[in-house]
Amino acid sequence: MRITTRLLILGFILSLPVCQLFADEPVTGDPPDSSRVVYTLDEVVVYGSDAYRVPVAVQNIPTVRIVRQNVNSLADIMKFDPGLTIASGRKNSSDMHIRGANSQSILMLVDGHPLNTGYRGEADLSMIPVSQIERIQIIKGPASVAYGANSLGGIVNIVTRGGAELPPSVSFQNLFGDLGHRELSGSAGGSIGAYSGWISVENLTWNGTPLSSDFNSEGLEDGGNRDNSDLERRSLNLKVARSFLKRGYLSLMLGFTQAEKGLPGSVYRPEYWRFTDYSRRGGNMSFLYNPGFNIRLKSSFFANSYDDELIRYKDESLSPDNIKFDSQLRSLTIGGSFEAEWDGLDNHLISSGVKISSDKTQRKTDKDEPWTESSNRTISLYMEDELFIYPDILLTAGVGSYHYFMKQTDRSISSLGYMAGISRRWFDDYTTRFSAARSIFFPTQHNLYSSNRGNPDLKPEQTLKYEMSLEGEKRLLGSSQASLGLTLFYQQTEDQIDLSPDQPFAEARFINIHHIDSWGLETTFNLQAGRNLEFECAASLIDWRTDSGTILDSPHLKLNGRMHIVTLFETEGNFEAVWFGEREAIDVNGDTIDMASYMVVNGNISRPLNRWVTLRLAVRNIFDADYEEIYGYPGQGRKILGGLRVMVQ
């Protein structure tokens, strides 16, 4: 901890001259575009404004699509993206799989800063509110070494709203439905001169969730409304920033989410759980500075805390007198970074930096048990070079050195990562990319120190990734245009961490077990006919070979469709559909089974009543499909919601 603290203090001290130079800089004119300034270094992979300069395929979900979807969590936004599998199971948390990789190996970022919890290494997507999200970037294949360790499964970067280059505005929106469903949110923000800011609040409540009318009563669930499925979630988020023309940028983001929710159990075995408290607090501060001499600097600091209280009851009464155990978890992650770019050589852009994060966890398995502590520290150093051979050909190569320190066992692990790629732009319409990378994932504290499953001798997982992609767009008649994306990938994973198959499930501990080869393709086609019609279809296909076991809960084939319509009367309709192919799962007897394919369709209609007020209607699971994302956990049936959006500028 002392080394970490000293390095963080050093990084902060290095940023102090930046603040002084900012104070002496006169402010005139409008602030720069946030997408070119705030997020250029926060996203790491995006340098400048030309998308073809990224040597890997990046999936972008923009603001307009998020608004059209009319949903209440990050999980709902990303369910309709090809190559991603979002599933809600035992703890009613929405976990994500990217190309078969599990959620703990996926690096979740907010404005480029880690969001994953220190103990399990995951982030519950259903607890991340929508109102503060500007856009989302998803990297599924090889990624820049600047992201550091623990990005083996992929990267999701949530770019928060900052209000830059927007006029001041205030908005409020609501949706209401049966079973006490209520979604309330409000936001305000914009920019004035060199200052910008955005604040948002949300409250999400329901007394339960419906099951499909086609659900066959079986086991412990009798249909109708899902037992123990209530939720109340509250959140507050704030982001403020000041730009200094071409000299730099200073931003601060703070967020808080608190929830209480029931955890619907499996229909095949008795499970009575509740999160009586679930809270997350976090924030980050970033300094970007251009001192001249073709140099750009960034210093940042972040902190995230996560607390929960999980109670398991003996029966469905959920009575305080029938508690089996009352477990508690407290997790704190702090870290920082110092990064630099230099383009003083002809046709080169050289970047380097150091990133440090420290995780500390306190937990107890029952209220009367003592607290146990675990902690670890991760340090990542990197250097990367972009070389323009010709104006339309870019070579990128980088190497990272990753170090993991485990305090409990006084043990450390070091490993190297690398990435190399080439991108080529053709005729200003098409871009081809090829990239390869070696990614590392260090075991989580849960993998290492869990009282009944931990293994302190685990090795890190490592994956070799290869990806080739083609992207193109073509302007058609008038303002119509079409775009096409095709990605081929191949991955080799060694030493994947999983429970030992040679022991009974209740006694199994984590070991390095799997060698996995996976390969597949993803394709997307988009057609936009002016402002009145947009249509998109996508498909992802993946297959794999393992030396033992299989990849669970991930379909070999997933199909997506999306259509947006604007009528002559300015009524807008947005419809999205997703079809999941068969997936493999483990049943109650421990046998591998094939889960049935299913399709879910969502629809939203909005109609402006005047320049300030818009009427909204949302139907989720329009055809009331009966399905399971995870074996034994049925999905939500049809839900109809209505409300208003009010916006004043």
Side-chain angles (χ1 to χ4, degrees):
M1 287 293 294
R2 285 181 296 177
I3 297 175
T4 302
T5 304
R6 290 170 183 172
L7 287 171
L8 291 175
I9 293 174
L10 176 60
F12 184 78
I13 292 174
L14 289 173
S15 69
L16 292 179
V18 176
C19 301
Q20 181 61 44
L21 287 167
F22 284 170
D24 297 336
E25 176 70 14
V27 178
T28 59
D30 295 327
D33 182 359
S34 61
S35 65
R36 292 194 299 270
V37 177
V38 182
Y39 308 133
T40 296
L41 287 180
D42 281 350
E43 291 173 354
V44 181
V45 297
V46 179
Y47 299 109
S49 58
D50 296 323
Y52 80 94
R53 292 187 59 182
V54 183
V56 297
V58 180
Q59 173 73 27
N60 286 285
I61 302 178
T63 304
V64 63
R65 178 174 161 186
I66 296 171
V67 172
R68 289 173 180 174
Q69 285 185 290
N70 203 9
V71 293
N72 56 55
S73 73
L74 179 63
D76 295 321
I77 294 173
M78 301 180 67
K79 278 184 179 180
F80 295 87
D81 189 271
L84 304 182
T85 301
I86 310 295
S88 181
R90 184 177 184 184
K91 290 191 175 180
N92 199 21
S93 62
S94 294
D95 297 328
M96 176 169 51
H97 300 260
I98 295 181
R99 296 176 179 173
N102 59 34
S103 57
Q104 69 176 12
S105 66
I106 298 170
L107 181 60
M108 295 291 302
L109 304 171
V110 173
D111 292 337
H113 302 89
L115 183 65
N116 306 64
T117 59
Y119 184 62
R120 290 186 178 270
E122 301 172 329
D124 183 356
L125 305 186
S126 67
M127 290 293 105
I128 300 176
V130 173
S131 60
Q132 190 68 11
I133 299 177
E134 173 79 21
R135 55 197 173 98
I136 303 166
Q137 283 193 322
I138 305 167
I139 300 176
K140 305 168 189 174
S144 168
V145 293
Y147 283 110
N150 299 326
S151 61
L152 178 147
I155 298 162
V156 176
N157 186 32
I158 304 165
V159 182
T160 58
R161 292 176 179 265
E165 292 201 337
L166 293 175
S169 65
V170 178
S171 67
F172 170 78
Q173 52 191 355
N174 58 54
L175 282 173
F176 297 94
D178 61 356
L179 298 177
H181 190 111
R182 181 180 71 236
E183 298 179 21
L184 304 175
S185 65
S187 59
S191 60
I192 300 176
Y195 296 90
S196 62
W198 195 272
I199 185 171
S200 66
V201 294
E202 280 193 12
N203 180 267
L204 175 65
T205 304
W206 58 65
N207 299 327
T209 57
L211 289 168
S212 169
S213 58
D214 294 329
F215 176 78
N216 293 319
S217 300
E218 55 180 310
L220 302 173
E221 186 68 64
D222 56 5
N225 301 326
R226 191 81 160 95
D227 295 334
N228 192 30
S229 59
D230 60 297
L231 168 71
E232 183 171 6
R233 188 189 77 196
R234 298 166 291 274
S235 65
L236 171 65
N237 291 277
L238 170 69
K239 188 172 186 177
V240 293
R242 184 189 170 184
S243 63
F244 299 86
L245 294 179
K246 298 180 179 180
R247 294 289 296 275
Y249 202 92
L250 170 65
S251 68
L252 171 68
M253 197 281 285
L254 300 171
F256 169 75
T257 298
Q258 193 276 332
E260 178 181 349
K261 63 177 181 176
L263 279 61
S266 168
V267 299
Y268 302 117
R269 57 177 175 263
E271 295 176 341
Y272 311 106
W273 308 69
R274 286 190 67 82
F275 273 117
T276 56
D277 180 54
Y278 176 107
S279 60
R280 182 188 293 275
R281 304 167 184 84
N284 61 72
M285 179 181 292
S286 296
F287 304 93
L288 283 77
Y289 176 52
N290 301 324
F293 308 103
N294 303 106
I295 296 174
R296 290 171 294 280
L297 303 176
K298 175 190 172 185
S299 179
S300 67
F301 174 81
F302 71 90
N304 290 309
S305 71
Y306 168 81
D307 303 315
D308 73 43
E309 182 174 6
L310 177 63
I311 298 179
R312 183 172 185 177
Y313 298 87
K314 297 178 182 179
D315 56 40
E316 66 275 11
S317 68
L318 305 180
S319 168
D321 298 325
N322 287 318
I323 292 177
K324 189 171 183 178
F325 63 76
D326 182 348
S327 65
Q328 297 180 48
L329 176 71
R330 300 172 182 170
S331 178
L332 173 65
T333 301
I334 62 172
S337 65
F338 185 79
E339 301 170 81
E341 285 184 352
W342 180 58
D343 58 1
L345 296 177
D346 290 343
N347 302 321
H348 284 269
L349 175 62
I350 299 173
S351 58
S352 64
V354 56
K355 296 188 173 185
I356 305 169
S357 66
S358 179
D359 301 302
K360 182 177 181 180
T361 301
Q362 294 179 313
R363 66 191 189 282
K364 56 181 177 179
T365 55
D366 205 348
K367 184 166 54 175
D368 297 327
E369 296 294 325
W371 289 98
T372 61
E373 293 189 1
S374 56
S375 61
N376 60 269
R377 184 173 66 250
T378 306
I379 300 177
S380 300
L381 302 97
Y382 74 90
M383 178 169 287
E384 194 167 80
D385 183 22
E386 291 186 348
L387 170 62
F388 278 96
I389 301 177
Y390 296 102
D392 291 331
I393 300 179
L394 174 68
L395 288 176
T396 302
V399 61
S401 178
Y402 311 134
H403 309 273
Y404 189 57
F405 303 91
M406 295 157 280
K407 182 177 179 180
Q408 274 67 16
T409 57
D410 196 25
R411 177 178 169 230
S412 63
I413 306 174
S414 297
S415 189
L416 290 176
Y418 58 79
M419 192 277 287
I422 181 171
S423 61
R424 171 72 160 92
R425 193 164 188 174
W426 308 81
F427 314 115
D428 294 328
D429 295 321
Y430 300 94
T431 301
T432 54
R433 300 180 176 91
F434 177 78
S435 56
R438 182 178 189 264
S439 301
I440 300 297
F441 171 73
F442 293 120
T444 67
Q445 293 180 18
H446 177 64
N447 298 146
L448 295 166
Y449 309 125
S450 173
S451 58
N452 59 340
R453 301 193 185 279
N455 179 358
D457 297 321
L458 289 171
K459 296 182 291 185
E461 296 181 11
Q462 50 187 309
T463 293
L464 295 177
K465 296 184 176 184
Y466 306 90
E467 185 178 84
M468 181 169 59
S469 65
L470 167 67
E471 297 175 8
E473 59 181 35
K474 193 71 175 179
R475 186 166 296 279
L476 306 176
L477 296 175
S479 58
S480 300
Q481 64 180 26
S483 62
L484 174 69
L486 175 65
T487 301
L488 303 174
F489 64 89
Y490 175 73
Q491 300 179 165
Q492 284 184 324
T493 300
E494 298 283 352
D495 297 322
Q496 186 178 43
I497 299 170
D498 206 341
L499 294 175
S500 172
D502 300 325
Q503 297 174 293
F505 178 79
E507 303 174 5
R509 291 186 174 270
F510 289 109
I511 61 172
N512 295 103
I513 183 173
H514 292 308
H515 169 93
I516 301 175
D517 294 327
S518 58
W519 57 90
L521 65 87
E522 297 167 2
T523 182
T524 302
F525 173 76
N526 180 280
L527 175 64
Q528 187 168 349
R531 65 179 296 270
N532 297 102
L533 176 65
E534 182 180 0
F535 171 78
E536 183 176 286
C537 59
S540 61
L541 177 66
I542 182 173
D543 202 358
W544 54 79
R545 180 178 61 250
T546 70
D547 57 2
S548 62
T550 185
I551 297 178
L552 301 175
D553 305 320
S554 292
H556 289 279
L557 178 63
K558 180 183 176 184
L559 305 176
N560 303 72
R562 180 169 59 89
M563 182 170 63
H564 181 72
I565 303 172
V566 181
T567 70
L568 295 176
F569 304 100
E570 296 303 313
T571 299
E572 295 188 32
N574 191 73
F575 303 92
E576 295 188 313
V578 59
W579 181 87
F580 283 88
E582 292 185 350
R583 294 96 60 222
E584 293 179 289
I586 304 296
D587 68 8
V588 290
N589 299 315
D591 299 323
T592 301
I593 62 170
D594 290 328
M595 295 179 61
S597 60
Y598 67 90
M599 182 174 73
V600 175
V601 181
N602 290 352
N604 298 278
I605 297 175
S606 62
R607 174 73 167 88
L609 301 180
N610 52 47
R611 60 180 296 188
W612 301 288
V613 182
T614 300
L615 183 66
R616 304 192 300 160
L617 174 68
V619 184
R620 296 166 188 169
N621 194 358
I622 292 176
F623 299 110
D624 199 27
D626 178 26
Y627 65 97
E628 290 181 346
E629 295 174 336
I630 300 293
Y631 175 78
Y633 297 86
Q636 294 185 20
R638 182 191 298 117
K639 185 178 289 187
I640 302 175
L641 307 169
L644 298 172
R645 178 190 296 121
V646 180
M647 183 171 182
V648 179
Q649 286 186 321

